Amino acid sequence: MFRNAVFPAFQSAASRVRPFTRQIALAVAFLFVGVLFSSTRRADLASSFPFSKWLPFTGAAITGPKIPVTIVNDTLGGFAVCLDGSPPAFNFQAGRGDGASKWVIFLQGGAWCYSVDNCYSRSLTSLGSSRKMRPLEFIGILSPEPRINPEFFTWNRVLVRYCDGASFSGNVDSPIQVPGRNGTFLFFRGSHIVPAVLNHLLQHHNLRAASHVLFGGGSAGALAAFLHCDWFAKTLLQESQPTIFPSSSASAPAAAPPAAAPPAAASSAVAAAPSPSSSSFSSAPTSASSSSSSPPVVKCMGDAGMFLDAKDMGGHYQLRERFSALVRLQNVSVHEGCLERLPNQTAERWKCFFPENYLPLLQTPLFIGNTLYDCWQINNSFAVDASFHSKDWDLCRRSLRECPSTLLEKFHTYRAEMLTKLQPLMQARVLALVPSLQQAGQERGLEQGRQESGSGSRGIEGGLQGVGGVRGEEETQGGLVAEQRCPHGFFLTSCHTHTTALYESWHGARGPTLSNQSMAQAVANWFLERQEVRLVDEIFGRNPTCPSSC
């Protein structure tokens, strides 16, 4: 469609000039289309919203090696498959040096599909079929370049490809026939993809010897990382009772036939994901760190995954309607603790797809990277076209920098609502051993001396440059003290953007900073426990480091 619309326009213009000039014009046309498709492929790596009008791209073009696609042949008895029934896949680049035992495992994002027809269209793309996937460049948190990814560039880096349309949480046993297309079926089994990939990494890439693992995702992939977080961490830490993927037979669209036999125990390092009729994983996972002297450090992060159950400007719950349809269609697996709190688990199941309703229940440390003026949510669930058609509102949706001040006040309420819903996480405290005030001050002084000067917004609501919290009274051996501190990290900007972690804006001059920290630095400081990280930006328009648009 795009080619049929764009090429004739260029050809028509070119026909009105001399032959030599026409050749130049056509060459420019092909170059323009090539750049456009290249940017689209890069955006597909980062967020991928092919079924939405927004295709955010805020990073600069990067030339790097193409990372091949690895197909996961062990599909856990046929359960771990994409929408079209093809096996799951990932891209992998091995660590080196002191990063050889450290891992970043990142779940790709790319919106959702809410109906059979919508999911069928998606199944014809790389977001629904591993047959359509191609090698990709690793950028942002996956980049091998220290200038872009200064803390994690030597780590093992994995991008788990998104191909189920339900944030890796679909859980329908029986294939769904597509109406009007005889012999065509869809498979809503995304909740089994992460276990299958984890199983492959344990068996073939020595993940069992990991010392540090950062498990995360962007956008829809961030929501998936939240859903899988405790199960993932407990699997690697040899826990036997996952806290997600409960029994879901109550709302299954179809009766489940007898499940295919799971992989033999001798060839499987992770228990198979459950069928809709099961209440937990079929068996306890085997040791994931038997080769290590101590259990790995496992933490989770989400980039732009804080999707709010909020009213739009017209008083409607746009995202609630979409998530409700998604939950019904794919019988999504949700957090068991959240589900148990619902009076009507069938009718209200959708509530447990919104992170605000289950993140406080997670036991694993989390890093929340989000903008408080998320452009995808503003345009798709807060100030949607269906509610407002005025010229001023169109300007606001396109760029908040062009938004009249009287209307901009409306978006500050969205910021306030997100902060309110994050408060339970921000107020969480655990007892930790941290460097003493004297030692921390010395380390902080050395670190500040190494940092380059640069502009950035203040962390006005709890942003800390050093360690914080409530000090214990007695210092322990080694210069450590007991401290009550928040186990979670926060990097909440006022930028009118969406994701950051898979762009060059992850670190460097093109990315936002808070208290002179890029998101890359903030994540590393939190993960490695150098300091408490709770960075919250001011209102929109006061942070000069924000990118100019979504």
Side-chain angles (χ1 to χ4, degrees):
M1 181 183 296
F2 179 85
R3 178 173 180 169
N4 291 338
V6 175
F7 278 22
F10 282 117
Q11 291 173 335
S12 176
S15 66
R16 294 191 293 269
V17 296
R18 292 192 301 268
F20 179 74
T21 307
R22 185 185 308 137
Q23 293 177 359
I24 297 177
L26 287 174
V28 171
F30 279 106
L31 177 62
F32 170 80
V33 174
V35 170
L36 177 62
F37 285 156
S38 175
S39 297
T40 300
R41 285 195 298 271
R42 199 181 322 281
D44 175 62
L45 167 63
S47 292
S48 305
F49 296 102
F51 306 106
S52 168
K53 65 181 182 179
W54 285 95
L55 186 65
F57 174 61
T58 58
I62 303 170
T63 301
K66 297 287 186 179
I67 310 302
V69 177
T70 299
I71 300 297
V72 178
N73 294 316
D74 184 353
T75 60
L76 302 182
F79 284 108
V81 292
C82 300
L83 284 172
D84 70 337
S86 59
F90 63 91
N91 302 78
F92 169 72
Q93 193 167 40
R96 60 188 188 276
D98 62 0
S101 66
K102 302 171 183 177
W103 292 74
V104 173
I105 299 176
F106 205 82
L107 306 183
Q108 184 184 24
W112 306 271
C113 56
Y114 311 101
S115 68
V116 171
D117 288 341
N118 189 211
C119 290
Y120 170 70
S121 297
R122 188 183 182 101
S123 73
L124 304 178
T125 74
S126 64
L127 288 171
S129 172
S130 61
R131 299 184 182 99
K132 304 291 184 179
M133 296 175 185
R134 299 293 181 265
L136 293 171
E137 298 173 19
F138 271 5
I139 55 180
I141 193 173
L142 301 177
S143 174
E145 299 184 33
R147 70 178 181 86
I148 299 171
N149 191 24
E151 301 284 355
F152 305 106
F153 72 99
T154 63
W155 291 29
N156 296 278
R157 284 153 287 114
V158 179
L159 178 71
V160 182
R161 302 297 289 270
Y162 183 31
C163 64
D164 81 302
S167 287
F168 298 86
S169 65
N171 199 10
V172 177
D173 213 15
S174 301
I176 305 299
Q177 185 166 357
V178 181
R181 298 183 180 276
N182 293 333
T184 301
F185 293 86
L186 294 177
F187 298 82
F188 298 149
R189 300 176 179 175
S191 64
H192 307 267
I193 290 176
V194 173
V197 172
L198 180 59
N199 180 52
H200 185 99
L201 295 174
L202 286 167
Q203 292 190 57
H204 302 289
H205 293 286
N206 204 28
L207 177 60
R208 66 179 61 254
S211 62
H212 298 75
V213 181
L214 176 58
F215 177 65
S219 190
L223 197 155
F226 295 153
L227 287 169
H228 286 265
C229 177
D230 272 356
W231 170 83
F232 183 91
K234 289 185 177 183
T235 297
L236 290 182
L237 295 172
Q238 306 176 45
E239 296 286 343
S240 60
Q241 295 297 323
T243 59
I244 65 172
F245 302 141
S247 172
S248 51
S249 57
S251 57
S267 63
S268 182
V270 176
S275 68
S277 59
S278 64
S279 59
S280 65
F281 282 75
S282 59
S283 63
T286 58
S287 171
S289 59
S290 57
S291 300
S292 300
S293 58
S294 61
V297 175
V298 184
K299 300 183 181 183
C300 303
M301 70 165 286
D303 174 28
M306 193 64 190
F307 295 95
L308 300 184
D309 181 24
K311 290 182 180 180
D312 67 10
M313 303 298 286
H316 306 290
Y317 287 95
Q318 298 282 344
L319 203 53
R320 178 186 296 185
E321 294 176 5
R322 298 185 192 186
F323 279 2
S324 296
L326 173 64
V327 167
R328 290 192 301 269
L329 176 68
Q330 294 217 28
N331 186 40
V332 300
S333 295
V334 294
H335 190 280
E336 186 175 7
C338 174
L339 197 63
E340 291 174 348
R341 297 185 176 196
L342 300 178
N344 189 331
Q345 295 186 6
T346 300
E348 297 180 303
R349 190 183 188 89
W350 56 268
K351 292 182 178 180
C352 295
F353 202 65
F354 281 100
E356 64 201 60
N357 295 322
Y358 64 85
L359 288 188
L361 304 177
L362 298 187
Q363 302 172 22
T364 308
L366 295 168
F367 187 93
I368 308 295
N370 232 98
T371 170
L372 300 170
Y373 298 84
D374 188 298
C375 64
W376 189 91
Q377 291 195 62
I378 283 176
N379 287 282
N380 288 276
S381 66
F382 189 68
V384 296
D385 290 342
S387 300
F388 302 95
H389 292 283
S390 70
K391 179 180 179 181
D392 286 342
W393 278 113
D394 289 340
L395 289 175
C396 294
R397 281 189 287 265
R398 183 166 60 247
S399 173
L400 289 186
R401 295 183 185 276
E402 302 177 31
C403 190
S405 58
T406 54
L407 298 183
L408 189 59
E409 289 293 328
K410 301 287 186 180
F411 296 98
H412 296 332
T413 63
Y414 170 84
R415 171 187 183 273
E417 184 167 2
M418 182 174 290
L419 287 175
T420 297
K421 291 181 175 180
L422 283 171
Q423 280 305 304
L425 279 180
M426 288 184 158
Q427 295 171 357
R429 292 292 183 270
V430 296
L431 189 65
L433 293 179
V434 298
S436 66
L437 287 171
Q438 180 179 2
Q439 181 177 341
Q442 293 172 349
E443 292 175 353
R444 188 160 62 249
L446 291 173
E447 178 64 24
Q448 290 175 347
R450 287 192 296 263
Q451 288 181 347
E452 296 180 357
S453 60
S455 60
S457 180
R458 293 182 291 119
I460 63 170
E461 297 180 40
L464 303 176
Q465 282 285 8
V467 293
V470 181
R471 289 288 179 185
E473 294 183 357
E474 294 188 8
E475 187 170 320
T476 65
Q477 293 183 352
L480 299 178
V481 295
E483 172 189 297
Q484 293 285 342
R485 71 187 307 177
C486 181
H488 309 305
F490 302 89
F491 188 84
L492 308 175
T493 75
S494 63
C495 305
H496 185 223
T497 55
H498 188 51
T499 58
T500 298
L502 287 183
Y503 289 119
E504 196 175 56
S505 53
W506 166 245
H507 179 73
R510 295 180 179 272
T513 61
L514 295 175
S515 294
N516 291 322
Q517 295 185 53
S518 66
M519 186 172 175
Q521 293 168 319
V523 170
N525 287 337
W526 161 79
F527 185 90
L528 299 174
E529 299 182 7
R530 296 168 178 161
Q531 61 191 55
E532 188 176 27
V533 178
R534 191 167 52 189
L535 303 174
V536 182
D537 209 348
E538 301 183 71
I539 61 174
F540 178 81
R542 299 183 182 179
N543 187 343
T545 68
C546 281
S548 59
S549 66
C550 187

